[in-house]
Amino acid sequence: MTGATEPFSPGLRRAVGVVMIGASLSFLDSTIVNVALHTLSVDLRAGLGTVQWVVTAYLLALAAVIPVTGWAARRFGAARLYVAALAVFTVGSVLCACSQSVGMLIAARVLQGVGGGAIMPVGTVIWAAQSSKAQMGRVMALIAVPIVLAPTLGPAVGGLLIQGIDWRAVFWLNVPFGVVGVVLALRLLPREKGGDAGRLDVTGLVLASAGVVGITYGLAEVGVAAGLDTGAVVALPVGLAALVGFVVHALRVRRPLLDLRLYAQREFAAASVAQFALGAANFGGMILMPLYFQTVRGEGVVLAGLLLAPTGLGALLSAPFTDRYGAGVTAFTGAAVLVVSTIPFVFLTATTPYVLLCVVMVVRGVGFGLSIIPAMTAAYRALPPGKIPDATPQLNVLQRVGGAIGTAVLTVVLDDRLRHHPTPAGQADGFGTTFLWVLAITIAAAVPTVLLARFEHRARRRANASGLVEEATDTGR
């Protein structure tokens, strides 16, 4: 029975439903607060440079906790860890909503990020244990919905809540969903006990977390400053050095925090590179359109956020096709659609019709869904189930760091163009030039998907040849 017809077991349906609640909250909070920074600055009487830490602290806590999730899932049980992570995230949301100063809010966002960072990796371990390799494509199409929709809906939802209520509503929104998610997880997820995960690789944890946090923070500083400032100059080299140290350490010890030997598997290595590159192409490119709508077209935050919805619509439209023709071929097709649909943005003007932009954004969303979801599916299918807890944190880190690199590079390029072209027409040209960089990154992201398609084609040929041999053997008997 193929993955297209094999029904989900009751346990798998429960796992997917429960995990989607937590994953939606975690990814939504990565973007929903962005539109609240000005309001927070006024209400909490703090400068924008300080308030920016409300976003940065969440992302850093998110990045710091991801490397340890694989070990913790094996040690304490994935379902238990998921419940704890969602509970911590929900408590952090309550503390955020009750904060009376910017310092309290930043500290609460750190707690929220610790919970949010563990939700998706541990959730993946939960559903992977309930699904066959043939079902992974369809499961990923469902689980990836929050990944796809969060960057497009987050700013719009945040803007509506802030305008209609106040900034605290952005955090109160998480609480009822978080409570429901915890209750459902306790009732519906299997209560497996933890196993022998070995001793925690403390050296690996320190090096990996320092590396991911250093690079994430450094790139965020590059984006905020539109160039290298003191924070980036210090954080980036420290982060890179820590990651190099982690790689050397992980290849020497018997039970490392993360098994880097997975990259010896060619399909997994190609899929991992694709995740990194597509993260840069997709999430980096997504920052440009809301800025274009506000800077060049003079739209407000809410309308600018709503105008991003076509990208999410396109991604949803792609969902039924993400596992129909094979993960490798689909990822390559999606990357090709991304490349083609990025070209019109190179020719942006100050009067480009909104209808045309929305149509092209729908197509780009289709390419987004057809590329990043199948690439992730290909990575998981290339490994035995026991390696999923090692693979999941690495894929999450690659996607997030790729997005951070894309965002930083494009922010620097755009800022340089806007400073030299202050008129609306000149600013529109600046966005067009920046989209040339997006196009180049997207073309580069398509390269590893070509390899995925080739590996998949070879695997099918071997399977067909093996089938013919078995058929001939049976005939001879």
Side-chain angles (χ1 to χ4, degrees):
M1 195 172 284
T2 64
T5 57
E6 184 179 351
F8 286 1
S9 67
L12 179 55
R13 288 197 296 269
R14 290 193 293 266
V16 170
V18 172
V19 170
M20 281 190 68
I21 295 174
S24 299
L25 294 176
S26 174
F27 277 96
L28 192 65
D29 262 58
S30 297
T31 58
I32 196 172
V33 181
N34 292 358
V35 297
L37 294 183
H38 177 72
T39 304
L40 289 171
S41 177
V42 174
D43 285 4
L44 299 178
R45 297 181 178 86
L48 283 176
T50 302
V51 171
Q52 179 66 34
W53 277 95
V54 173
V55 174
T56 304
Y58 180 80
L59 295 177
L60 294 184
L62 208 74
V65 77
I66 288 175
V68 78
T69 53
W71 177 87
R74 290 190 296 267
R75 175 65 180 83
F76 302 106
R80 290 180 178 178
L81 186 59
Y82 178 84
V83 170
L86 187 53
V88 169
F89 177 87
T90 304
V91 171
S93 298
V94 172
L95 295 176
C96 286
C98 296
S99 295
Q100 300 299 314
S101 68
V102 69
M104 290 177 60
L105 180 57
I106 292 171
R109 283 284 279 175
V110 170
L111 182 65
Q112 195 186 36
V114 169
I119 286 174
M120 189 63 180
V122 177
T124 301
V125 174
I126 292 172
W127 67 252
Q130 301 285 336
S131 65
S132 67
K133 286 194 174 185
Q135 294 172 321
M136 281 188 176
R138 284 190 298 150
V139 176
M140 282 306 308
L142 295 172
I143 296 296
V145 168
I147 302 176
V148 169
L149 292 184
T152 56
L153 295 185
V157 173
L160 289 171
L161 288 173
I162 292 166
Q163 275 197 356
I165 308 177
D166 68 0
W167 64 266
R168 299 179 191 277
V170 169
F171 300 107
W172 284 122
L173 176 69
N174 297 326
V175 177
F177 292 103
V179 171
V180 169
V182 168
V183 172
L184 291 177
L186 288 171
R187 295 190 62 181
L188 301 179
L189 293 182
R191 300 183 182 181
E192 82 284 8
K193 295 181 179 180
D196 179 20
R199 293 181 60 185
L200 176 61
D201 179 11
V202 177
T203 301
L205 175 60
V206 171
L207 289 173
S209 296
V212 174
V213 168
I215 291 175
T216 303
Y217 173 71
L219 291 172
E221 285 296 291
V222 169
V224 171
L228 290 174
D229 66 354
T230 304
V233 168
V234 173
L236 285 174
V238 170
L240 289 171
L243 276 187
V244 171
F246 172 73
V247 171
V248 173
H249 169 78
L251 294 176
R252 288 181 175 178
V253 299
R254 188 171 64 89
R255 300 191 72 169
L257 180 70
L258 298 173
D259 186 4
L260 300 185
R261 296 175 180 86
L262 296 179
Y263 295 99
Q265 217 282 354
R266 294 185 304 170
E267 288 85 349
F268 179 77
S272 298
V273 174
Q275 280 294 295
F276 174 81
L278 288 169
N282 289 316
F283 294 109
M286 280 183 181
I287 69 165
L288 296 180
M289 288 313 297
L291 292 174
Y292 166 79
F293 287 130
Q294 294 178 72
T295 304
V296 179
R297 308 301 285 265
E299 303 292 357
V301 171
V302 175
L303 183 56
L306 291 173
L307 285 169
L308 297 179
T311 302
L313 173 62
L316 287 179
L317 291 175
S318 72
F321 305 97
T322 54
D323 193 46
R324 187 168 295 183
Y325 304 106
V329 171
T330 306
F332 170 70
T333 303
V337 172
L338 266 178
V339 170
V340 173
S341 60
T342 300
I343 294 174
F345 292 104
V346 175
F347 303 98
L348 276 177
T349 69
T351 57
T352 302
Y354 279 2
V355 173
L356 175 61
L357 289 175
C358 288
V359 169
V360 178
M361 288 168 70
V362 169
V363 177
R364 197 166 193 273
V366 170
F368 184 15
L370 290 179
S371 58
I372 202 163
I373 299 171
M376 196 178 299
T377 302
Y380 289 129
R381 280 181 176 169
L383 301 173
K387 293 296 183 182
I388 298 296
D390 275 309
T392 301
Q394 298 181 58
L395 292 173
N396 274 265
V397 167
L398 286 171
Q399 189 181 98
R400 291 182 185 278
V401 172
I405 289 176
T407 300
V409 169
L410 296 177
T411 301
V412 172
V413 173
L414 179 62
D415 182 75
D416 178 70
R417 300 301 299 178
L418 295 184
R419 281 192 288 107
H420 290 88
H421 301 85
T423 65
Q427 289 179 339
D429 288 341
F431 277 93
T433 301
T434 308
F435 266 106
L436 270 175
W437 284 73
V438 177
L439 180 61
I441 295 172
T442 307
I443 292 172
V447 174
T449 66
V450 175
L451 296 177
L452 288 178
R454 288 184 61 186
F455 291 148
E456 187 172 77
H457 178 66
R458 290 175 182 174
R460 286 179 176 175
R461 288 179 61 183
R462 287 194 298 268
N464 290 336
S466 176
L468 290 174
V469 170
E470 290 180 4
E471 183 178 347
T473 302
D474 292 338
T475 302
R477 291 175 182 170

